Amino acid sequence: MGIIQSLSYTEPGKYETTRFEKIHNIIFQNSTEASRIVAQEIAHLIKSKQAKNEPCILGLATGSSPIKVYEELVRLHKEEALSFNNVVTFNLDEYYPMTKENNQSYHYFMHQHLFNHIDIKPENINIPDGTISIENLNQYCVDYEMKIKNAGGLDFQLLGIGRTGHVGFNEPGSHINSGTRIITLDHITRVDASSDFNGIENVPKRAITMGVSTILRSKRIILMAWGQNKASIIKRTIQGEISPEVPATFLQNHDNVTFVLDQSAASELTRFDTPWLVGECVWTNELKHKAIVWLCQKTKQAILKLTDRDYNNNGMSDLLAQEGSAYDLNINMFNVLQHTITGWPGGKPNTDDSHRPERANPAKKRVILFSPHPDDDVISMGGTFSKLIKQGHEVHVVYQTSGNIAVTDDEALKFAEVCNDFVGQIDLGINFQEIIDFINNKKENEVDSLEVRKLKGLIRRHESYAATRYMGLKDENAHFLDLPFYETGRVKKNPLGPEDIDIVKEIIAKIKPHQIFAAGDLADPHGTHEVCLNAIFAAMKQLKAKPYMNDCWLWLYRGAWHEWDIHEIDMAVPLSPDEVLMKRHAILYHQSQKDRVMFQGNDSREFWVRAEDRNKNTAQLYDDLGLAEYQAIEAFKRFDY
């Protein structure tokens, strides 16, 4: 039995019935701990093979999911003398065509994250070759299959999963008997990869991949998935019927497979999403609220119209028995939601605040609005931002990163040419002719020069000034941190470091806020939100002993990708039609992000459209539940740090 298999299905205290699930899975608090355990199982396998003087044949994956596993394997090699000299590896896939030197190639990825840092023999590394001529490709794929077979087959296969349900690059429609071959990539797969390639037009349309049958012949399989974006496909894979439309469901046929998930990726499994449909529950307040909102949406009724029969017919009879009647449940839930609604996000002065989401005092608060990128402030909470200013609070907007990587070369070239023509040789600290020459001669995958990144950062900075001035904020209350972790010139950022945390601590200590608003949306496609939020958490933890932090509340907003579920919302700020229009105009000041957003994830709409639709949808949900009807609502969750 592997290390993973020896663990329980989920963490202690969670509901453990899994009758809807067809694949063994383990849920961890976070991907870091999960990756460490996966690496331990791989290390144990390597050592057991070494003890028998046998080769260890590993199937390896690329993408974001296995990176922390590879980091831990490198640590085990360097600090605990784990040797890889008996290891033979076969990678799942490679883009086609693709040179090994290209930094988007999986050859480059594997050497960067693993092979360059361990003692594996170069001749034992096997990665599909993206430079094979199309005429020789079929024979190459047959030879790759035979090489795996001649090595004795895969002892262990590490997998990720795409939103289409692909494993390797076995896209929807792949047959269970498919072998190594060339395949055309699904549009969704290419969209998901577009941030790595600076636009979908640069993503290869084809790839070489191991087949489904190749994967299923592995003696042991672990599939890893992290984050909310994977939750839907994980549910379909674990609970759905086997279908070539979701190739990962073929793993249900394997007798030694485990899915290793974080809580977000597992969140739509029935036992977590709607556990009352599985069996008896421990009815916490949070679960009660979630269940009642779900019941309203299922029955298409307002809260106060739910009946005893509605509860009994939908798996909630034990809740009804516990609470006594539908009337009591309904009125309590109605009041909970009613008390989240406020037009005073900084607190309403001179009022009883016992049923309001924010304190009445102090009447005028110092507020920090942290924005990971230079437009998240207006996209995510532009209406609330405006209300806070108009209601007399001292508002500071703090942009955590420069956002320079999201400015296209064309946009930067336009500004550089205008500036070059306008200022001539005046010394502004930037040589615009050098920037023009660099962009015009830029090679594929070349990292922007420092001068180009500086210009792109200035474009975003001054767009932010334009938007915040429109909102009524003084220039001196807009702060630009340019956190170092972001400044790599690449989509891949450096890890969060002490310097980043110190910079965030410094701005908090300077302002001594009563409120902090921060981005709690971890679904952005390149991870900047999560790093920025972790910087805030770390800074606030280190400052917690300071007296002014006793009066500081942390509110989390979500960005352009997801909204809080209704039962999660602690403060709902209604927007009038005029405020919705004002928010739209503020977003449109970020002109470099209009029409051709570089990192928009799986949603092709522009940010202002997403924001409006999301805010209007939240208002509609409140209306459907029987509460007041508003044009739009921005939502926040209070976080106890």
Side-chain angles (χ1 to χ4, degrees), residues 380-441:
S380 301
M381 53 174 293
T384 303
F385 181 4
S386 173
K387 286 182 186 289
L388 288 166
I389 294 173
K390 289 178 179 177
Q391 291 167 6
H393 302 287
E394 181 189 325
V395 179
H396 296 261
V397 179
V398 178
Y399 299 102
Q400 293 176 270
T401 71
S402 67
N404 59 49
I405 198 172
V407 178
T408 64
D409 289 343
D410 289 343
E411 189 77 9
L413 184 62
K414 176 180 71 177
F415 276 86
E417 289 175 337
V418 170
C419 291
N420 198 50
D421 289 346
F422 186 69
V423 303
Q425 299 304 310
I426 297 173
D427 184 12
L428 297 179
I430 299 177
N431 188 320
F432 292 106
Q433 188 58 53
E434 283 187 7
I435 291 174
I436 293 168
D437 292 342
F438 178 90
I439 293 174
N440 283 330
N441 296 288

Side-chain angles (χ1 to χ4, degrees), residues 342-349 356-358 387-388 391 393 571 573-574:
T342 181
W344 297 82
K348 187 172 184 179
R356 290 181 172 273
E358 248 298 354
K387 286 182 186 289
L388 288 166
Q391 291 167 6
H393 302 287
M571 181 162 66
V573 180

Side-chain angles (χ1 to χ4, degrees), residues 474-634:
K474 296 179 291 186
D475 281 0
E476 58 265 32
N477 283 19
H479 310 268
F480 299 86
L481 303 187
D482 293 342
L483 293 180
F485 85 87
Y486 184 89
E487 298 300 325
T488 64
R490 299 181 183 276
V491 173
K492 179 176 170 54
K493 306 300 184 291
N494 289 324
L496 183 68
E499 186 181 357
D500 301 297
I501 297 168
D502 287 344
I503 292 170
V504 175
K505 278 171 57 181
E506 185 178 341
I507 192 72
I508 295 174
K510 177 182 176 181
I511 295 170
K512 297 179 175 58
H514 302 99
Q515 285 182 314
I516 289 176
F517 290 87
D521 185 350
L522 306 185
D524 69 301
H526 46 104
T528 303
H529 280 217
E530 183 173 8
V531 180
C532 286
L533 184 61
N534 287 337
I536 295 168
F537 285 161
M540 294 182 74
K541 183 177 180 180
Q542 292 180 25
L543 291 169
K544 195 167 186 177
K546 301 292 184 182
Y548 58 83
M549 294 302 290
N550 292 330
D551 297 322
C552 181
W553 287 15
L554 175 59
W555 292 98
L556 300 182
Y557 62 82
R558 284 199 160 167
W561 294 277
H562 290 293
E563 184 57 279
W564 298 110
D565 289 333
I566 293 291
H567 71 278
E568 297 176 304
I569 296 172
D570 294 315
M571 181 162 66
V573 180
L575 307 183
S576 69
D578 286 344
E579 287 171 323
V580 171
L581 189 60
M582 182 187 66
K583 174 174 176 171
R584 180 195 302 177
H585 289 159
I587 295 171
L588 292 177
Y589 275 103
H590 293 273
Q591 200 169 11
S592 69
Q593 303 303 293
K594 190 179 183 307
D595 298 325
R596 48 180 177 177
V597 179
M598 292 180 70
F599 305 113
Q600 61 188 24
N602 57 8
D603 191 333
S604 61
R605 296 173 299 169
E606 290 187 48
F607 284 139
W608 72 267
V609 179
R610 297 190 211 183
E612 279 191 25
D613 287 352
R614 190 191 66 198
N615 296 157
K616 289 178 180 179
N617 182 60
T618 302
Q620 185 61 54
L621 289 172
Y622 268 81
D623 182 29
D624 292 343
L625 292 170
L627 292 113
E629 183 178 359
Y630 296 104
Q631 178 72 12
I633 287 177
E634 292 178 338

